[in-house]
Amino acid sequence: MTRRVEVVENIFSANDRLAVENRSRLDSAGVFALNFMASPGAGKTSLIERTIHGLTGRLRLAVIDGDIATSLDADRAAAAGAKALQINTGGECHLDAVMLQSALQQLDLADVDLLIVENVGNLVCPASFKLGTHKSVLIASIPEGDDKPYKYPGMYQEVDALVINKIDLLPYVPFKMDFFRQGVEILNPGVTTFPISCSTGEGLDTWLDWVTQEAEGSPRS
Ligand SMILES: Nc1nc2c(ncn2[C@@H]2O[C@H](COP(=O)(O)OP(=O)(O)O)[C@@H](O)[C@H]2O)c(=O)[nH]1
Ligand SMILES: [Mg+2]
C-alpha cells in the first residue's frame, strides 16, 4: 500500500516539474495559456469557436485539443480561424504535461498571443494533472444539473474561472442556480463566474473582456 502511494506521488511530481517547464516555454514565447476543463458536451469547443470569432483581430489564437480519438474538435477550431493541433490520448482520460510539451514542440509559438487547451471531457482526472497553463477554466452547463459542484469538488475547487454555459436552456431544464452557486462558493469562494450561452451569445462580451485582460496582463519577454 505504501509503495503504491509513493509511485503515485512520483508521477505527480514528475508531471509538476514538466508543467513548470511548459510554463516557462510559454512565458518566454509571450503566450498566455488557458486550460479548458468540463464534462463531455458542456460546450468547450463551442466556447473556443466563440472566443476565436470574438478575438480575431485583437489576439492571435492557437488551440490544442485533447481527445481520446478523432480530430473533430481541432477541425472545428481550425475552421473558426485558429491555428489548431489535436492530441489523441489513446484512451487516457486527461491531458498531462508530457502531452502538452510534445504539442508545444509542434507549434510555432512566435505568432501566438493566446493558447487555449481543450482538455479531455471529464470532471475528475484533468483536475489532478497540471499542464503549465496560466489559468484553468471550468465550463459547467445547465443540462448537467445543479448538483455537480457537490459531486465533483476536486474540479470545482481547482479552477481560476467558472463558465456556466447553456443559460438559454434555463426555462426548460430544472436547475436551481442558487443551489449550484452555493456549492461553488463553499469550494471556491469568489471565483470569477461567467453565465453565458454559446448559442445566443449572451454573456460572451464579459467573457471576452476577461480573456483579453488576462492575456494582456501576462508576462511577455
Ligand atoms: N442550447 C445550447 N446548446 C449548446 C450551447 N453550447 C454548446 N451547445 C451544444 O452542446 C453540444 C456540445 O457542444 P461542444 O462544444 O461540442 O461540447 P464539448 O464536448 O464540451 O466540446 C453541441 O451540440 C452544441 O451545439 C449553448 O449555449 N446552448
Ligand atoms: Mg469538444
Side-chain angles (χ1 to χ4, degrees):
M1 193 62 181
T2 315
R3 259 179 77 97
R4 227 186 115 203
V5 169
E6 278 171 9
V7 170
V8 171
E9 279 174 359
N10 286 342
I11 289 168
F12 283 128
S13 65
N15 185 77
D16 288 358
R17 276 197 301 278
L18 272 180
V20 170
E21 284 178 24
N22 288 343
R23 170 71 67 89
S24 109
R25 188 184 182 104
L26 290 164
D27 284 345
S28 56
V31 177
F32 176 70
L34 295 172
N35 178 14
F36 275 17
M37 295 183 283
S39 57
K44 297 178 292 301
T45 314
S46 301
L47 184 57
I48 287 170
E49 292 170 319
R50 283 286 198 170
T51 306
I52 295 165
H53 288 137
L55 295 181
T56 298
R58 281 153 82 183
L59 294 174
R60 297 165 303 171
L61 262 86
V63 175
I64 294 175
D65 264 293
D67 212 343
I68 288 176
T70 86
S71 64
L72 289 170
D73 287 351
D75 294 346
R76 284 170 64 185
K83 211 183 247 206
L85 190 78
Q86 185 80 41
I87 304 174
N88 284 138
T89 65
E92 286 290 334
C93 53
H94 59 272
L95 293 180
D96 61 26
V98 180
M99 295 180 205
L100 186 65
Q101 183 186 52
S102 98
L104 290 177
Q105 282 160 2
Q106 296 169 59
L107 267 184
D108 181 6
L109 296 176
D111 55 358
V112 176
D113 302 309
L114 170 65
L115 170 69
I116 301 179
V117 180
E118 177 173 352
N119 217 312
V120 180
N122 180 337
L123 285 180
V124 184
C125 312
S128 302
F129 288 84
K130 291 195 178 87
L131 302 180
T133 47
H134 296 87
K135 298 266 158 142
S136 51
V137 179
L138 170 59
I139 296 131
S141 67
I142 301 304
E144 284 168 49
D146 50 23
D147 58 357
K148 292 302 167 290
Y150 303 90
K151 295 180 76 169
Y152 299 96
M155 174 63 79
Y156 275 80
Q157 67 199 5
E158 274 298 309
V159 295
D160 302 301
L162 171 66
V163 169
I164 308 172
N165 189 30
K166 310 195 189 184
I167 56 170
D168 57 296
L169 297 180
L170 277 169
Y172 313 105
V173 177
F175 186 98
K176 293 195 189 71
M177 189 60 87
D178 287 350
F179 178 66
F180 176 84
R181 283 186 178 261
Q182 270 164 26
V184 173
E185 193 56 27
I186 293 163
L187 295 163
N188 198 334
V191 66
T192 308
T193 302
F194 303 96
I196 65 156
S197 167
C198 286
S199 290
T200 67
E202 192 177 347
L204 282 166
D205 285 348
T206 315
W207 157 256
L208 294 172
D209 286 347
W210 180 81
V211 174
T212 308
Q213 276 162 24
E214 292 290 327
E216 285 171 354
S218 89
R220 312 242 161 177
S221 52

